[in-house]
Amino acid sequence: MKSAVLRRRPLAGAVFSTFATTLASPFSRTLVTTLSAGLSLGAACTAHAQDNEALPTVVVTASAHEQAVRDAPASISVLTRADIEKRPVLEMAELLGTIEGVSLSRGGNLVPGVQLRGLGAAYTLFLVDGKRVNSTSASFRGNDYDTGWVPTTEIERIEVVRGPMSSLYGSDAIGGVVNIITKKVGKTWRGTVKLDAVAPRDDAAGDTRSASVSASGPLIPDVLGLRVSAGYDRRDGDGQVNAPVNGVAQAGMPLIANRQYSALLSWLPAAGHEVKLGHDTSRRDHGGFILERDASSLSHSGRYGFGRSDLSINLDKTQNLVGTVTGQKNPNEARNDTVNGKLVLPWESAGHTLTVGGEARREKLHDPANVTGLPGTPGYRADPDIAVRQEALFIEDEIVLPGDVRVTLGDRYDHHENFGGHHSPRAYAVWHAAPQWTVKAGWARAFRAPTLLQGSSNWGSVSCGSATVGCYIIGSPDLKPETSTSKELGILYEQGRLAGGVTAFHNKLRDMIDITSRTSDRALAPSYANFKGFLPDGRPVFAYQNIASVRTRGIEASLRATLTNTVTGRVNYTYTDTKNTSGAKDLPLVYRPRMNANVSLDWRPADAWSTSATARYIGEQYLNVPASGVNMLRKGGYTVADLSAAFRAGQYTVSAGVLNVADRGTQRDVSADFNEEGRRLFLSLLARF
């Protein structure tokens, strides 16, 4: 029960007040002015009539070349632009959590982490247009930043591959890949402005407002094009939204404030060739921990009579302006520079499509607070920099066999400067048993190298709850890469107005890197296997170690049906069994719901009107699992339902709705628990030019 002292406010008045604030803010006025100025550089603005058309079922993430979803050698889901525009989206994880096989880790009210098939967020690789995004080195205590570097108006679709993809993308893709695909530069000038306001019924909860804009078009027709975008969103921090339990009221959600800017030039020097030069700059504030990211890229794509080539250079700099310890200011800077390329060679007469490619990556961290060596020892703070190099080669062959069977075989060899070489092979078969039936089966080995921090003995940080009397953790060059073996089998059906599928999966993760074994108890510390000694002030020192093995298995099911010409329904269900198999007794993993389900019903009563009702069920999950397996803390399952409607008048669309209609999951009892956002009303304006 919520505390009776919490005040409630009229939702309608609150949301209009918040929306007015959004419209009146200097940032929003700047966005609209920028868009108008940008469009005036080109031809007169024209209505973008195709925006609401269904996207072709073609994906680019599951293999090295474009394919229809039913042919793709992976379990893959696509979030379309229409899905993104249905409701305000502050963090992309909120939408990703509606896909089968995806769950969210939300401990301590952090921004949700995206987990694929029961594996933690660290095993999900994020890409933006195929370019790696990873802020872990700048924020080792919890990288909850990578789902929001791109303004939503710039996103065309999001492809989610569930299952290992290290054979193409290398380290970090053990669980799968989330690839954010941005809009292409238009052949005519076009633009989008989106304004959102969300007001909670509980006046102690924070308001949300966002504004984003994008525009693109030709500077020189058929030769040079430009795309620009900007976005801003803010969710105010909560007051006392949680009722006290045993005299203690847990904190609500913290302030989140983000802004992003990007620009892209597209040059077509000759038929079949495109050169792109892009730059993104972003700032994300999560509860006072601020990251700023600057990313530049230069790429070339070429199409020839014999095949296609892609080559790119990506320079990524992330600055942590505050550091990672509450109450201290210890800024750092991480760099991730990458060169990668691939060559796709179709051999149609033989039924082969061969892809070869490679990657060279250098990571560097400048961190005067944590890259210090051991405090009180010779050489302490002598060199605040650590760096590592990694190179890779990969090959993939898609073979078309008789009987409408496609087999994809691939392998990637990664060589890590500190941890040596590692192969990531994959085999996947797709059989179109009948025009409406498809069978998919795959096997893969994948790996994840220790992070820049985990693998360096020169990196360390305070831990065990205190910066002065707790313990100290360090990296270890003796670590081994984590490895996994995965299998899946799926059956898909698609005919007319009905489509769906069922997939079973099994993953086994070995040599999981762990730092949970630590204590501030100086008498007990030497009994720990990863104990490395004491600091001069007496604090015990512990190193990362390979100890854990994890097994995940489960079932994913989905169904989509066009019930009438105006009504469409979708439902998906995920059952996941995740276990830490390292000890004498198998134990569940925290923040892994055993069951998730999503249902949506869309009704378009007229061309100008659309309505939507959705419900998502988050099943029972564990919040804390002691190594003894005794006194495990559970959170019960709950259902969150949303209602929305939209009206389109020409180039404008107005949307409104109620989120979390029944106000479920809103109480946080202990520190390991989390809040769902309570009942709230939203109002959105989308304008296309």
Side-chain angles (χ1 to χ4, degrees), residues 32-57:
V32 177
T33 302
T34 301
L35 176 64
S36 301
L39 293 177
S40 66
L41 292 174
C45 300
T46 57
H48 188 42
Q50 284 84 20
D51 277 352
N52 288 325
E53 291 183 2
L55 292 171
T57 55

Side-chain angles (χ1 to χ4, degrees), residues 181-404:
I181 310 294
T182 61
K183 296 178 182 178
K184 295 182 178 180
V185 176
K187 293 186 177 182
T188 59
W189 278 96
R190 63 189 184 187
T192 304
V193 175
K194 193 169 191 291
L195 303 174
D196 300 310
V198 184
R201 185 182 180 190
D202 188 339
D203 62 359
D207 291 335
T208 299
R209 55 261 191 198
S210 65
S212 58
V213 60
S214 67
S216 73
L219 300 176
I220 303 174
D222 299 321
V223 177
L224 185 66
L226 172 68
R227 186 191 72 200
V228 293
S229 66
Y232 172 80
D233 57 76
R234 177 186 176 95
R235 188 201 185 278
D236 296 329
D238 289 340
Q240 186 177 330
V241 296
N242 293 301
V245 177
N246 297 325
V248 178
Q250 298 294 330
M253 295 187 178
L255 166 73
I256 296 177
N258 308 310
R259 64 172 185 254
Q260 314 99 357
Y261 307 92
S262 71
L264 176 72
L265 281 172
S266 173
W267 176 39
L268 305 176
H273 292 264
E274 182 178 21
V275 178
K276 294 181 181 179
L277 176 64
H279 182 77
D280 304 321
T281 182
S282 310
R283 176 188 171 96
R284 292 173 64 75
D285 180 348
H286 290 180
F289 290 92
I290 303 170
L291 262 61
E292 290 186 347
R293 175 175 176 263
D294 288 282
S296 300
S297 62
L298 176 64
S299 65
H300 171 266
S301 296
R303 295 183 180 273
Y304 315 91
F306 59 84
R308 177 171 61 85
S309 68
D310 292 285
L311 179 66
S312 67
I313 301 172
N314 306 298
L315 309 176
D316 195 315
K317 180 181 73 173
T318 303
Q319 294 177 293
N320 187 330
L321 303 186
V322 178
T324 57
V325 179
T326 302
Q328 297 185 9
K329 188 171 183 179
N330 300 309
N332 62 46
E333 179 181 293
R335 291 181 176 268
N336 194 333
D337 301 332
T338 307
V339 178
N340 53 40
K342 65 182 179 184
L343 183 64
V344 181
L345 302 169
W347 187 9
E348 295 181 2
S349 61
H352 288 258
T353 300
L354 182 68
T355 302
V356 294
E359 179 183 77
R361 186 165 76 248
R362 184 175 187 267
E363 298 177 64
K364 181 179 180 181
L365 175 67
H366 175 79
D367 190 345
N370 293 312
V371 182
T372 60
L374 292 176
T377 62
Y380 179 61
R381 295 191 183 278
D383 184 3
D385 297 316
I386 51 176
V388 68
R389 297 188 311 274
Q390 187 170 333
E391 298 85 27
L393 295 172
F394 66 86
I395 184 169
E396 181 181 271
D397 188 15
E398 182 188 88
I399 308 166
V400 179
L401 300 175
D404 214 350

Side-chain angles (χ1 to χ4, degrees), residues 55-281:
L55 292 171
T57 55
V58 173
V59 292
V60 298
T61 311
S63 67
H65 61 97
E66 295 180 348
Q67 288 178 307
V69 170
R70 68 192 301 263
D71 295 331
S75 296
I76 186 165
S77 301
V78 179
L79 285 174
T80 67
R81 194 187 330 171
D83 296 324
I84 298 169
E85 292 176 350
K86 273 185 180 180
R87 50 166 286 181
V89 179
L90 182 63
E91 293 294 337
M92 200 55 61
E94 300 169 13
L95 275 180
L96 294 172
T98 65
I99 295 174
E100 63 271 23
V102 180
S103 61
L104 304 180
S105 61
R106 308 184 62 173
N109 279 347
L110 297 174
V111 171
V114 177
Q115 304 174 143
L116 299 177
R117 292 183 169 175
L119 295 174
Y123 304 95
T124 301
L125 177 63
F126 276 88
L127 307 173
V128 176
D129 291 326
K131 300 184 290 289
R132 176 184 292 261
V133 178
N134 191 334
S135 305
T136 299
S137 293
S139 183
F140 85 96
R141 289 192 185 278
N143 176 18
D144 57 353
Y145 294 83
D146 289 340
T147 59
W149 294 117
V150 182
T152 55
T153 53
E154 189 178 324
I155 299 174
E156 180 67 30
R157 68 184 187 276
I158 302 174
E159 299 180 5
V160 181
V161 177
R162 309 183 306 280
M165 290 297 296
S166 289
S167 62
L168 282 180
Y169 301 106
S171 184
D172 303 328
I174 285 181
V177 176
V178 176
N179 192 6
I180 300 172
I181 310 294
T182 61
K183 296 178 182 178
K184 295 182 178 180
V185 176
K187 293 186 177 182
T188 59
W189 278 96
R190 63 189 184 187
T192 304
V193 175
K194 193 169 191 291
L195 303 174
D196 300 310
V198 184
R201 185 182 180 190
D202 188 339
D203 62 359
D207 291 335
T208 299
R209 55 261 191 198
S210 65
S212 58
V213 60
S214 67
S216 73
L219 300 176
I220 303 174
D222 299 321
V223 177
L224 185 66
L226 172 68
R227 186 191 72 200
V228 293
S229 66
Y232 172 80
D233 57 76
R234 177 186 176 95
R235 188 201 185 278
D236 296 329
D238 289 340
Q240 186 177 330
V241 296
N242 293 301
V245 177
N246 297 325
V248 178
Q250 298 294 330
M253 295 187 178
L255 166 73
I256 296 177
N258 308 310
R259 64 172 185 254
Q260 314 99 357
Y261 307 92
S262 71
L264 176 72
L265 281 172
S266 173
W267 176 39
L268 305 176
H273 292 264
E274 182 178 21
V275 178
K276 294 181 181 179
L277 176 64
H279 182 77
D280 304 321
T281 182

